[in-house]
């Protein structure tokens, strides 16, 4: 679901602002005031991720309706069996996930009833802040799957901007904190019998492929251009071979 702060979705061009004001029946000044109010000075640490749906539940409802209606329509038109996997981003603890999850379930069930469908769906979360990793055993009680947002997890854990490639590359090889959080979270998730995926830049880092597999990672989410290369790398790993990793 939506992860960036809301100011990234509002118009900045004068003509777009005028068009939005006309469409909503309000003044240009009112639109500009709202855009200014939504602006985040430190977007990566601010009002984003699941916090958007906590403040504005209608955002989660809108996305849920879009996902469920699309899945039902396509499954009927194409004959596919579709099970949407809805991921709630930037969750920090169990109660945050449950709050948004309850909104999603209510709307999803309403759509199913309206469209006379028995489609199934799953609700999970992105583990991308240290608090969620440290409380993964509790968060797992409300999740059906985990996926690591390794870009943000690295940034938040090391207090290093993920766009500073020199520092990131140095710390990710020299510092074990991020990998320790990932390993611990996978262990707690598997105790709760839920799968864990790896995404973000680290998912395509061949230096870490074997380590992630030995931790128990169930899947990797990477950019299309890296898929064949990563499949080859994964095949090289013999998990039956005992190594100290």
């Amino acid at each position: 679901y939506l992860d960036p702060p809301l100011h990234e979705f509002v118009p900045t061009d004068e003509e777009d602002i005028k068009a939005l004001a006309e469409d909503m029946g309000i003044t240009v000044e009112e639109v500009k005031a709202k855009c200014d109010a939504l602006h985040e000075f430190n977007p990566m640490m601010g009002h984003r991720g699941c916090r958007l749906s906590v403040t504005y539940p209608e955002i989660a409802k809108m996305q849920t309706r879009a996902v469920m209606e699309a899945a039902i329509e396509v499954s009927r038109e194409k004959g596919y069996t579709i099970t949407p996997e809805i991921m709630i981003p930037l969750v920090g603890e169990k109660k945050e996930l449950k709050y948004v999850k309850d909104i999603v379930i209510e709307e999803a069930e309403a759509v199913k009833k309206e469209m006379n469908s028995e489609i199934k769906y799953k609700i999970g979360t992105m583990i991308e802040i240290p608090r969620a990793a440290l409380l993964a055993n509790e968060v797992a009680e409300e999740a059906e799957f985990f996926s690591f947002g390794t870009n943000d997890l690295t940034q938040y854990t090391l207090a290093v901007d993920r766009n500073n490639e020199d520092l990131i590359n140095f710390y990710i090889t020299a510092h074990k904190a991020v990998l320790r959080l990932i390993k611990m979270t996978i262990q707690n998730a598997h105790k709760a019998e839920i799968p864990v995926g790896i995404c973000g830049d680290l998912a395509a880092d061949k230096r870490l492929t074997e380590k992630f597999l030995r931790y128990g990672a169930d899947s990797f989410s990477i950019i299309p251009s890296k898929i064949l290369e990563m499949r080859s790398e994964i095949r090289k790993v013999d998990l039956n071979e005992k190594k100290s990793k």
Side-chain angles (χ1 to χ4, degrees):
Y1 275 12
L2 292 177
D3 193 20
L6 291 179
H7 75 251
E8 294 193 15
F9 297 96
V10 297
T12 55
D13 183 79
E14 191 70 25
E15 291 302 314
D16 291 337
I17 292 174
K18 288 180 181 178
L20 181 60
E22 290 177 7
D23 185 60
M24 297 183 67
I26 59 179
T27 67
V28 169
E29 288 70 26
E30 287 176 302
V31 172
K32 288 183 177 180
K34 188 62 176 178
C35 291
D36 290 341
L38 292 173
H39 186 77
E40 290 284 327
F41 290 101
N42 191 348
M44 300 311 297
M45 304 290 282
H47 194 189
R48 55 171 289 222
C50 69
R51 300 164 187 174
L52 298 178
S53 295
V54 171
T55 306
Y56 305 105
E58 60 269 29
I59 292 178
K61 290 182 180 180
M62 172 269 293
Q63 293 177 95
T64 301
R65 177 164 290 273
V67 168
M68 296 301 293
E69 288 183 354
I72 293 169
E73 289 174 8
V74 172
S75 65
R76 287 174 175 170
E77 291 174 7
K78 304 295 184 180
Y80 300 144
T81 299
I82 299 175
T83 304
E85 295 188 355
I86 296 170
M87 192 182 322
I88 311 300
L90 212 76
V91 162
E93 57 185 354
K94 176 182 174 180
K95 67 179 182 181
E96 276 184 322
L97 177 56
K98 185 179 188 315
Y99 183 87
V100 181
K101 178 183 173 183
D102 288 346
I103 296 170
V104 171
I105 291 175
E106 182 179 4
E107 191 69 14
E109 293 302 318
V111 172
K112 286 174 60 176
K113 185 175 181 180
E114 292 169 16
M115 301 183 71
N116 192 28
S117 172
E118 293 300 322
I119 190 171
K120 298 184 184 299
Y121 56 93
K122 296 181 180 180
I123 301 174
T125 189
M126 182 77 81
I127 303 296
E128 49 193 329
I129 60 177
R131 181 172 62 158
L134 292 169
L135 299 176
N137 61 318
E138 298 177 11
V139 177
E141 295 173 7
E142 291 292 339
E144 292 178 270
F145 64 90
F146 281 168
S147 183
F148 280 103
T150 58
N151 293 354
D152 278 343
L153 184 62
T154 299
Q155 176 173 256
Y156 294 142
T157 304
L158 304 183
V160 174
D161 190 316
R162 70 188 188 195
N163 292 316
N164 191 324
E165 294 184 4
D166 291 338
L167 278 176
I168 285 291
N169 288 335
F170 171 76
Y171 276 110
I172 202 59
T173 54
H175 204 297
K176 298 179 180 179
V178 176
L179 297 178
R180 185 172 295 179
L181 287 174
I182 290 174
K183 182 179 181 180
M184 179 182 67
T185 302
I186 291 175
Q187 290 173 341
N188 282 318
H190 285 175
K191 286 178 183 177
E193 300 184 338
I194 64 174
V196 184
I198 309 286
C199 70
D201 292 342
L202 299 192
D205 188 335
K206 293 190 294 183
R207 297 170 298 179
L208 299 174
T209 302
E210 181 175 353
K211 190 177 292 290
F212 287 149
L213 288 172
R214 292 189 181 280
Y215 286 173
D218 299 289
S219 63
F220 294 82
S221 177
I222 57 178
I223 59 175
S225 62
K226 295 282 188 178
I227 290 177
L228 293 180
E229 186 180 354
M230 281 299 296
R231 282 180 175 172
S232 176
E233 197 66 28
I234 288 170
R235 291 192 186 100
K236 295 177 184 177
V237 180
D238 181 3
L239 293 179
N240 294 316
E241 182 182 351
K242 293 184 178 180
K243 289 185 178 181
S244 177
K245 293 289 181 182

